[in-house]
Amino acid sequence: MLRWIRQQLGFDPPHQSDTRTVYVANQFPQHGHYVPQKFADNRIISSKYTVWNFVPKNLFEQFRRIANFYFLIIFLVQLMIDTPTSPVTSGLPLFFVITVTAIKQGYEDWLRHKADNEVNGAPVYVVRSGGLVQTRSKNIRVGDIVRVAKDETFPADLVFLSSDREDGTCHVTTASLDGETNLKTHCTVPETRVLQNVSSLDTLSAVIECQQPEADLYRFVGRMTVNQQSEEIVRPLRPDNLLLRGARLKNTKEIFGVAVYTGMESKMALNYKCKSQKRSAVEKSMNTFLIIYLIILLCEAVLSTILKYAWQSEEKWDEPFYNQKTEQERNSSKILKFISDFLAFLVLYNFIIPISLYVTVEMQKFLGSFFIGWDLDLYHEETDQRAQVNTSDLNEELGQVEYIFTDKTGTLTENEMQFRECSINGIKYQEINSRLVSEGMTADFLDGSRPGLVRPEALFLFNFPSLCQ
């Protein structure tokens, strides 16, 4: 906690330099002055709460909502002054709303913890002490050599060392990162592509210097220094040498890579959205109407307070025989009395904003999330997976389309072109009876058995785009 506070205040920045040095297989230098760098572990945390901060953090987030804060103020006013209604009328519904929302958000965050534990506890294979050791994903350290098999996801951001292919390449799909389903080809540096087994990788002596973690998926700058027979060979590292966490290995039996970014420092984790509470369109519109009704309520309270003092301006109505004032009330401050009367009218008219509406909405969201999970139309039979509601605050947003983004021509439309004619070296060609013929050929020639005479330039013009397509 102290280190986190120092980092937030700028006294202890998380990265002291612009680059990080990673020793492959954690083979640190045995001589010279070496100061080890501190790196994050490989745990992924997508949850918002812990056992210790759930109550204060959840209450803070709930009272940031305009409706909850308003009802809290009304409840406190009823406790402080003599009001015409009991504090229970506001306190009990508010307590119910806060409790239901806290249970709902606590349950959803427990599901996030459960998903995080599954990811962090997934089995992985790491090269250690000359052998292949099975461990959990959260135990991967920066510098570990990790083996990933076909159709597995990469547990950390890895610098590609070798694969079962002789050319040192592998194919990767990044659909879970950027939505692209096409296969991307990654390659290794020439000095490590021949190290295709555990024993040869254990003898590798190399150092990687790269930039500190950043969220850009398509940017990676670094270099690898490989020690071979008392000679240092330096190779540059590019984005095609980096295998991102969350991507999946395809059409390759297995690969080996060294972890350079782990846990919350991986590019996938750095692209996580903020964990603040999300607001649906319905809740935003309700907040707008709440502000309007709150203005009406304030106007009613002010008007009623003014009319009360206008009514009590006559002495017979200021202190009638059936409602005699005490000595303390006669000597009290008029300003405090005005504020007290204003707050009393505020409490009296506060039912213009129905708290029962918010109780109904919270119950509908909480119970509606179960119906989404029970929906058979959203069940995937092949993988035995059902729809999972991560945030029930957005139930009503399901299926709503606000923006449509389109890619190049042909993605959403049929990209079909029809050839008309072209000119090559001053000779005009056109299509007649599914043949490419030059201008001036007679119909008798086309009807004959001889094929059309086409220059090589024309053949090249059509063969080249056909191959590209």
Side-chain angles (χ1 to χ4, degrees):
M1 176 62 72
L2 181 61
R3 183 184 178 189
W4 180 83
I5 295 175
R6 289 176 60 87
Q7 290 179 3
Q8 299 302 314
L9 296 177
F11 298 116
D12 186 19
H15 304 300
Q16 299 291 341
S17 62
D18 295 333
T19 61
R20 62 168 49 189
T21 303
V22 178
Y23 291 88
V24 178
N26 291 314
Q27 297 181 3
F28 303 109
Q30 302 297 328
H31 55 82
H33 181 68
Y34 169 68
V35 179
Q37 293 179 305
K38 294 182 179 180
F39 304 117
D41 56 24
N42 201 38
R43 290 181 299 172
I44 287 292
I45 302 175
S46 62
S47 57
K48 294 192 297 184
Y49 307 111
T50 63
V51 177
W52 310 108
N53 68 3
F54 175 75
V55 174
K57 190 174 182 179
N58 185 262
L59 289 178
F60 172 75
E61 289 190 352
Q62 290 204 55
F63 285 116
R64 288 174 60 188
R65 301 170 66 177
I66 300 176
N68 292 344
F69 184 74
Y70 163 75
F71 290 119
L72 176 65
I73 295 298
I74 294 298
F75 175 68
L76 295 178
V77 168
Q78 289 177 311
L79 292 176
M80 291 187 297
I81 67 173
D82 184 17
T83 57
T85 58
S86 171
V88 179
T89 58
S90 296
L92 192 60
L94 177 62
F95 176 77
F96 181 79
V97 171
I98 295 297
T99 304
V100 171
T101 306
I103 293 174
K104 179 190 68 172
Q105 294 181 355
Y107 173 73
E108 293 171 354
D109 202 66
W110 175 76
L111 293 179
R112 297 190 191 99
H113 276 282
K114 186 178 178 181
D116 291 343
N117 292 334
E118 291 180 0
V119 173
N120 296 329
V124 295
Y125 289 91
V126 179
V127 178
R128 289 178 183 170
S129 303
L132 204 58
V133 180
Q134 182 178 1
T135 183
R136 295 183 178 182
S137 176
K138 64 181 180 180
N139 297 329
I140 295 178
R141 299 171 298 177
V142 172
D144 282 343
I145 299 178
V146 183
R147 192 203 75 172
V148 181
K150 181 181 178 181
D151 294 329
E152 292 182 353
T153 58
F154 301 112
D157 288 349
L158 310 174
V159 170
F160 189 17
L161 293 180
S162 64
S163 69
D164 63 313
R165 297 171 177 264
E166 295 182 357
D167 57 354
T169 61
C170 72
H171 299 292
V172 171
T173 175
T174 58
S176 60
L177 298 177
D178 53 13
E180 296 185 6
T181 57
N182 60 306
L183 296 181
K184 298 180 176 64
T185 303
H186 290 255
C187 59
T188 66
V189 296
E191 285 70 27
T192 62
R193 70 178 56 170
V194 296
L195 308 176
Q196 297 180 344
N197 52 62
V198 177
S199 58
S200 59
L201 284 169
D202 190 56
T203 62
L204 175 63
S205 176
V207 180
I208 297 175
E209 295 179 66
C210 58
Q211 62 190 100
Q212 294 291 358
E214 64 173 29
D216 191 350
L217 298 175
Y218 308 105
R219 186 174 185 270
F220 178 70
V221 179
R223 65 178 181 178
M224 177 186 292
T225 304
V226 182
N227 297 319
Q228 286 187 348
Q229 300 176 355
S230 302
E231 181 184 1
E232 291 187 351
I233 302 175
V234 180
R235 296 292 185 183
L237 298 177
R238 304 181 302 273
D240 59 351
N241 300 123
L242 185 67
L243 305 173
L244 300 178
R245 176 172 189 152
R248 188 178 296 272
L249 182 65
K250 291 289 186 181
N251 298 341
T252 307
K253 184 178 179 181
E254 64 177 10
I255 64 99
F256 290 92
V258 57
V260 289
Y261 304 133
T262 54
M264 301 306 293
E265 291 183 344
S266 61
K267 290 182 179 292
M268 181 187 71
L270 293 177
N271 281 275
Y272 279 166
K273 298 297 182 181
C274 182
K275 299 177 183 177
S276 60
Q277 189 175 3
K278 298 178 181 179
R279 305 277 187 248
S280 64
V282 173
E283 185 173 353
K284 292 178 182 178
S285 62
M286 288 175 61
N287 290 338
T288 303
F289 287 112
L290 176 63
I291 294 175
I292 296 174
Y293 283 116
L294 186 59
I295 295 174
I296 296 174
L297 175 62
L298 294 175
C299 294
E300 288 181 343
V302 171
L303 181 61
S304 299
T305 306
I306 294 175
L307 291 177
K308 176 191 175 184
Y309 281 92
W311 175 264
Q312 292 179 344
S313 60
E314 297 184 16
E315 186 176 352
K316 62 178 181 178
W317 299 118
D318 182 37
E319 192 175 350
F321 68 92
Y322 55 84
N323 189 17
Q324 296 292 323
K325 294 182 179 180
T326 63
E327 191 66 24
Q328 183 180 0
E329 290 177 341
R330 293 192 184 97
N331 297 329
S332 63
S333 172
K334 293 184 178 180
I335 297 177
L336 294 178
K337 181 62 177 175
F338 181 87
I339 295 175
S340 178
D341 291 336
F342 169 76
L343 294 177
F345 281 114
L346 199 66
V347 172
L348 183 62
Y349 297 145
N350 84 90
F351 295 101
I352 191 176
I353 302 175
I355 193 172
S356 60
L357 172 64
Y358 291 90
V359 175
T360 305
V361 169
E362 290 299 328
M363 288 298 298
Q364 183 273 332
K365 289 182 177 181
F366 182 64
L367 297 177
S369 61
F370 291 98
F371 283 94
I372 294 176
W374 297 335
D375 194 343
L376 294 179
D377 292 333
L378 300 178
Y379 172 73
H380 193 249
E381 187 176 359
E382 296 179 0
T383 58
D384 192 22
Q385 290 183 344
R386 61 180 183 177
Q388 181 178 350
V389 180
N390 293 325
T391 305
S392 60
D393 295 332
L394 304 177
N395 285 354
E396 57 269 26
E397 299 290 323
L398 184 64
Q400 303 298 316
V401 178
E402 186 174 0
Y403 301 101
I404 295 180
F405 293 95
T406 61
D407 201 350
K408 61 183 180 180
T409 304
T411 303
L412 299 179
T413 59
E414 185 178 2
N415 190 5
E416 182 178 343
M417 296 182 291
Q418 184 177 2
F419 174 76
R420 296 297 183 184
E421 60 182 21
C422 66
S423 177
I424 303 175
N425 290 336
I427 301 176
K428 185 184 295 185
Y429 294 89
Q430 58 184 345
E431 181 187 4
I432 300 178
N433 296 333
S434 301
R435 288 184 178 182
L436 184 66
V437 297
S438 60
E439 187 180 21
M441 285 190 179
T442 61
D444 297 336
F445 181 83
L446 294 176
D447 293 337
S449 60
R450 294 176 59 190
L453 297 177
V454 182
R455 292 177 175 269
E457 296 87 349
L459 293 176
F460 177 79
L461 175 66
F462 290 94
N463 290 334
F464 183 76
S466 299
L467 293 174
C468 293
Q469 187 66 23

